[in-house]
Amino acid sequence: MSSMTDIVFLLLIFFMITSTMVHPNAIKLLIPKQASKKVIVDEFVNIRVSPVGNYYYNNKRVTQTSLEKAIIDISNSPNKTFIKLRTDRGASTGATAPILDVAESYGVKVVLDIR
């Protein structure tokens, strides 16, 4: 019995030493100490997707194709325009995904607001 406790004790020491040598693979982030820039947004464009799947552009009901054209116009404007995309919890992702796809392909920033 005493030899068994010696083996367990040696194994415990071995695992304690080897566990301190293992370094986890972590991502090194350089976080700025202080915010030096403020992002200035000229305007927001409100787009809403209803639970039924209807689209609203600045509180006016529009079709999906006219909404896509409006997003393309936003990307061509010289102002820093962001899209505030408001979706209801009942809205399907199939209705929201085309807006996000067009905005991403034309480089328009989208802020998602789920209610």
Side-chain angles (χ1 to χ4, degrees), residues 1-16:
M1 188 68 172
S2 65
S3 63
M4 183 64 106
T5 55
D6 291 340
I7 292 172
V8 171
F9 183 68
L10 288 174
L11 284 174
L12 179 66
I13 291 174
F14 173 75
F15 286 122
M16 286 176 53

Side-chain angles (χ1 to χ4, degrees), residues 38-51:
K38 289 186 178 180
V39 177
I40 299 172
V41 178
D42 290 341
E43 64 180 86
F44 273 103
V45 174
N46 292 314
I47 296 176
R48 186 172 70 89
V49 180
S50 69

Side-chain angles (χ1 to χ4, degrees), residues 63-78:
T63 62
Q64 182 178 350
T65 55
S66 63
L67 184 61
E68 290 175 0
K69 289 177 186 175
I71 293 172
I72 293 169
D73 291 340
I74 290 169
S75 69
N76 294 331
S77 72

